[in-house]
Amino acid sequence: MPQSPIRKALTRTEIFGHAARLFRLRGYAGTNIDDIMLAAGLTRGAFYAHFKSKDDLFAEVVRAGDGLLAQLRAPGSKVLPTLDAYLAKEDLAANAQFCTLAALPGDVARAPLAAQLAYANGLYALIAEMARGRKRKLDADATAAAILALGAIGLARASGDRRLSDWLLRCARLAARALLRPPRPSRPSARRASPKPKRSRSRRKGVGARQSKRAGRSRGGRA
């Protein structure tokens, strides 16, 4: 008996959720269709009723943009508080596991073009969210902040040294905040009137002597 459209949509969502989790946890190469369907409690044959291939499913997972991008797109979210929470050491494990852009760059680099283009679109969207209130969506400071955030999560996740991981996250958070801090409004610069050049005493004496001579000649002429 065929599934109802609602039941089919729910099954597809369940398969997709397990696939996204396993891809981020094990990577593209370390996850196969059998693993995904076993996690969903279904047989391998049911996979092809919802997805064409593992490549198509992986590209769709990348396109979904879970993690930091989804947090920034949430209603009422603010960039700096969201970034602070994302780079908090207490949430490292969760963000490293659930952020697609931070967890899968290496896998995407070896994946088919569809996944790479989906990843690029996700980066564009992330930078645009971080550039709120700025003139350009592809703002240089917002781009650098995105690189710091995603890179710090990846490096901290790979580091087995907890102290180093905390330090990486802290430095990235401070640097990203400095880049994204709203610029102060520039004040109009008031032009100062340039003072008139002062005449030297010797010059004033010379001018006074010449005026006295002229006055004496004019009096002598009248006489």
Side-chain angles (χ1 to χ4, degrees):
M1 182 176 178
Q3 288 184 333
S4 66
I6 296 177
R7 180 59 187 168
K8 186 174 182 180
L10 291 174
T11 302
R12 189 182 192 280
T13 301
E14 188 175 0
I15 295 171
F16 180 86
H18 287 292
R21 178 179 59 83
L22 290 173
F23 279 139
R24 289 190 295 261
L25 186 63
R26 302 180 183 178
Y28 174 80
T31 303
N32 56 44
I33 295 176
D34 290 331
D35 296 331
I36 296 169
M37 300 309 289
L38 180 62
L42 299 169
T43 62
R44 180 187 178 93
F47 176 87
Y48 296 99
H50 303 277
F51 303 98
K52 292 181 180 179
S53 65
K54 175 184 167 182
D55 289 347
D56 289 337
L57 175 56
F58 183 67
E60 190 169 334
V61 167
V62 175
R63 196 177 297 116
D66 294 326
L68 179 57
L69 179 57
Q71 293 168 16
L72 288 171
R73 283 175 166 174
S77 69
K78 295 182 180 180
V79 176
L80 290 180
T82 301
L83 194 61
D84 284 345
Y86 179 76
L87 291 173
K89 60 183 181 180
E90 294 81 9
D91 297 331
L92 171 61
N95 289 326
Q97 183 177 351
F98 294 110
C99 183
T100 302
L101 292 174
L104 294 174
D107 293 272
V108 171
R110 295 182 291 271
L113 182 60
Q116 295 177 4
L117 293 177
Y119 192 88
N121 290 333
L123 283 177
Y124 276 119
L126 178 64
I127 294 168
E129 290 292 338
M130 286 191 169
R132 293 177 193 172
R134 296 171 181 261
K135 294 181 179 179
R136 299 181 61 188
K137 289 185 177 180
L138 200 61
D139 180 76
D141 289 339
T143 303
I147 295 170
L148 283 167
L150 299 179
I153 291 292
L155 293 174
R157 179 192 188 190
S159 173
D161 187 331
R162 180 62 184 272
R163 185 176 180 183
L164 176 60
S165 297
D166 295 348
W167 177 246
L168 292 171
L169 294 173
R170 182 174 183 273
C171 290
R173 184 170 62 253
L174 293 175
R177 284 188 67 89
L179 287 167
L180 297 175
R181 188 175 294 118
R184 294 181 180 179
S186 57
R187 297 180 180 178
S189 56
R191 295 184 178 180
R192 295 182 178 179
S194 56
K196 295 181 179 180
K198 296 182 180 180
R199 294 181 178 181
S200 61
R201 292 183 178 180
S202 59
R203 188 177 178 184
R204 288 199 300 269
K205 289 181 180 179
V207 172
R210 286 196 295 273
Q211 290 176 349
S212 299
K213 289 180 180 179
R214 290 171 187 165
R217 290 197 194 101
S218 60
R219 286 196 297 270
R222 291 194 193 97

Coordinates of all heavy atoms in Angstrom, one line a residue, residues 52-86:
K52 N 17.7 10.6 -5.2 CA 18.3 9.9 -6.3 C 19.6 9.2 -6.0 O 19.8 8.1 -6.5 CB 18.6 11.0 -7.4 CG 17.3 11.6 -8.0 CD 17.7 12.6 -9.1 CE 16.4 13.2 -9.7 NZ 16.8 14.2 -10.8
S53 N 20.4 9.8 -5.2 CA 21.7 9.2 -4.9 C 22.3 9.8 -3.6 O 21.7 10.8 -3.1 CB 22.7 9.5 -6.0 OG 23.0 10.9 -6.2
K54 N 23.3 9.3 -3.1 CA 24.0 9.8 -2.0 C 24.6 11.2 -2.3 O 24.6 12.1 -1.4 CB 25.2 8.9 -1.6 CG 26.0 9.4 -0.4 CD 27.2 8.4 -0.2 CE 28.2 9.0 0.7 NZ 29.4 8.1 1.0
D55 N 25.1 11.4 -3.5 CA 25.6 12.7 -3.9 C 24.5 13.8 -3.8 O 24.7 14.9 -3.3 CB 26.2 12.7 -5.3 CG 27.5 11.9 -5.4 OD1 28.0 11.6 -4.3 OD2 27.9 11.6 -6.5
D56 N 23.3 13.5 -4.3 CA 22.2 14.4 -4.3 C 21.8 14.7 -2.8 O 21.5 15.9 -2.5 CB 21.0 13.9 -5.0 CG 21.3 13.9 -6.5 OD1 22.1 14.7 -7.0 OD2 20.6 13.1 -7.2
L57 N 21.8 13.7 -2.0 CA 21.4 13.9 -0.6 C 22.5 14.8 0.1 O 22.1 15.7 0.9 CB 21.3 12.6 0.1 CG 21.1 12.6 1.6 CD1 19.8 13.4 1.9 CD2 20.9 11.2 2.1
F58 N 23.7 14.5 -0.2 CA 24.8 15.3 0.5 C 24.7 16.8 0.0 O 24.8 17.7 0.9 CB 26.2 14.8 0.1 CG 27.3 15.4 0.7 CD1 27.5 15.3 2.1 CD2 28.2 16.2 0.0 CE1 28.6 16.0 2.7 CE2 29.3 16.8 0.6 CZ 29.5 16.7 1.9
A59 N 24.5 17.0 -1.2 CA 24.3 18.4 -1.7 C 23.1 19.1 -1.0 O 23.2 20.3 -0.7 CB 24.2 18.4 -3.2
E60 N 22.1 18.4 -0.8 CA 20.9 18.9 -0.1 C 21.2 19.2 1.3 O 20.7 20.3 1.9 CB 19.7 18.0 -0.3 CG 18.4 18.6 0.2 CD 17.2 17.7 -0.2 OE1 17.3 16.9 -1.1 OE2 16.2 17.8 0.5
V61 N 22.0 18.4 2.0 CA 22.4 18.7 3.4 C 23.2 19.9 3.5 O 23.0 20.8 4.3 CB 23.1 17.4 3.9 CG1 23.8 17.8 5.2 CG2 22.2 16.3 4.1
V62 N 24.1 20.1 2.5 CA 25.0 21.3 2.5 C 24.1 22.5 2.2 O 24.3 23.6 2.8 CB 26.1 21.2 1.5 CG1 26.9 22.5 1.3 CG2 27.0 20.0 1.8
R63 N 23.1 22.4 1.3 CA 22.3 23.5 0.9 C 21.4 24.0 2.1 O 21.0 25.1 2.1 CB 21.4 23.1 -0.3 CG 20.8 24.2 -1.0 CD 20.0 23.7 -2.2 NE 20.9 23.1 -3.2 CZ 20.9 21.8 -3.5 NH1 20.0 21.0 -3.0 NH2 21.8 21.3 -4.4
A64 N 21.1 23.1 3.0 CA 20.2 23.4 4.1 C 20.8 24.5 5.0 O 20.0 25.2 5.6 CB 19.8 22.1 4.9
G65 N 22.1 24.5 5.2 CA 22.7 25.6 5.9 C 22.4 25.5 7.4 O 22.2 26.6 8.1
D66 N 22.5 24.3 8.0 CA 22.3 24.2 9.5 C 23.5 24.8 10.2 O 24.6 24.9 9.7 CB 22.1 22.8 9.9 CG 20.8 22.2 9.3 OD1 19.8 22.9 9.2 OD2 20.8 21.0 8.9
G67 N 23.2 25.2 11.4 CA 24.3 25.8 12.3 C 24.3 27.3 12.4 O 23.2 27.9 12.6
L68 N 25.4 27.9 12.2 CA 25.5 29.4 12.4 C 24.6 30.1 11.5 O 23.9 31.1 11.9 CB 26.9 29.8 12.2 CG 27.2 31.3 12.4 CD1 26.8 31.8 13.7 CD2 28.7 31.6 12.1
L69 N 24.5 29.7 10.2 CA 23.6 30.4 9.3 C 22.2 30.3 9.7 O 21.5 31.4 9.7 CB 23.8 29.8 7.9 CG 22.9 30.4 6.8 CD1 23.2 31.9 6.6 CD2 23.2 29.7 5.4
A70 N 21.7 29.2 10.1 CA 20.3 29.0 10.6 C 20.1 29.9 11.9 O 19.0 30.5 12.0 CB 20.0 27.6 10.9
Q71 N 21.1 30.0 12.7 CA 20.9 30.8 13.9 C 20.8 32.2 13.6 O 20.0 33.0 14.2 CB 22.1 30.5 14.9 CG 22.2 29.1 15.4 CD 23.5 28.8 16.1 OE1 24.3 29.7 16.4 NE2 23.8 27.5 16.3
L72 N 21.6 32.7 12.6 CA 21.5 34.1 12.3 C 20.2 34.5 11.5 O 19.7 35.6 11.6 CB 22.7 34.5 11.4 CG 24.1 34.6 12.1 CD1 25.2 34.7 11.0 CD2 24.1 35.8 13.0
R73 N 19.7 33.5 10.9 CA 18.4 33.7 10.1 C 17.2 33.6 11.0 O 16.1 33.9 10.6 CB 18.3 32.6 9.0 CG 19.2 33.0 7.8 CD 19.1 31.9 6.8 NE 19.6 32.3 5.5 CZ 19.8 31.4 4.5 NH1 19.5 30.2 4.6 NH2 20.3 31.9 3.3
A74 N 17.4 33.1 12.3 CA 16.2 33.0 13.2 C 15.6 34.4 13.5 O 16.3 35.4 13.5 CB 16.7 32.3 14.5
P75 N 14.3 34.5 13.6 CA 13.6 35.7 13.9 C 14.2 36.4 15.2 O 14.3 35.7 16.2 CB 12.2 35.4 14.0 CG 12.0 34.1 13.3 CD 13.3 33.4 13.5
G76 N 14.5 37.7 15.0 CA 15.0 38.4 16.2 C 16.4 38.2 16.6 O 16.9 38.8 17.6
S77 N 17.2 37.5 15.8 CA 18.6 37.2 16.1 C 19.4 38.5 15.9 O 19.1 39.2 14.9 CB 19.1 36.0 15.3 OG 19.2 36.4 13.9
K78 N 20.4 38.6 16.7 CA 21.4 39.7 16.5 C 22.8 39.1 16.3 O 23.1 38.1 16.8 CB 21.4 40.6 17.7 CG 20.0 41.3 17.9 CD 20.1 42.3 19.1 CE 18.8 43.0 19.3 NZ 18.8 43.9 20.5
V79 N 23.5 39.8 15.5 CA 24.8 39.2 15.0 C 25.8 39.0 16.1 O 26.2 37.8 16.3 CB 25.4 40.1 13.9 CG1 26.8 39.5 13.5 CG2 24.5 40.2 12.7
L80 N 26.1 40.0 16.9 CA 27.1 39.8 17.9 C 26.8 38.8 19.0 O 27.6 37.9 19.4 CB 27.5 41.1 18.5 CG 28.3 42.1 17.6 CD1 28.6 43.4 18.2 CD2 29.5 41.5 17.0
P81 N 25.6 38.9 19.6 CA 25.2 37.8 20.6 C 25.2 36.4 20.0 O 25.6 35.5 20.7 CB 23.8 38.3 21.0 CG 23.7 39.7 20.8 CD 24.5 39.9 19.5
T82 N 24.7 36.3 18.8 CA 24.7 35.0 18.1 C 26.1 34.5 17.9 O 26.4 33.3 18.1 CB 23.9 35.1 16.8 OG1 22.6 35.5 17.0 CG2 23.9 33.7 16.1
L83 N 27.0 35.3 17.5 CA 28.4 34.9 17.3 C 29.0 34.6 18.6 O 29.8 33.6 18.7 CB 29.1 36.1 16.6 CG 30.5 35.7 16.0 CD1 30.3 34.7 14.9 CD2 31.1 37.0 15.4
D84 N 28.8 35.3 19.7 CA 29.3 35.0 21.0 C 28.9 33.6 21.4 O 29.7 32.8 22.0 CB 28.9 36.1 22.0 CG 29.6 37.4 21.9 OD1 30.7 37.4 21.2 OD2 29.2 38.4 22.4
A85 N 27.6 33.3 21.3 CA 27.1 32.0 21.7 C 27.7 30.9 20.8 O 28.0 29.8 21.3 CB 25.6 32.0 21.6
Y86 N 27.9 31.2 19.5 CA 28.5 30.2 18.6 C 29.9 29.8 19.0 O 30.3 28.7 18.8 CB 28.4 30.7 17.2 CG 28.9 29.8 16.1 CD1 28.2 28.7 15.7 CD2 30.1 30.1 15.5 CE1 28.7 27.9 14.7 CE2 30.6 29.2 14.5 CZ 29.9 28.1 14.1 OH 30.4 27.3 13.2

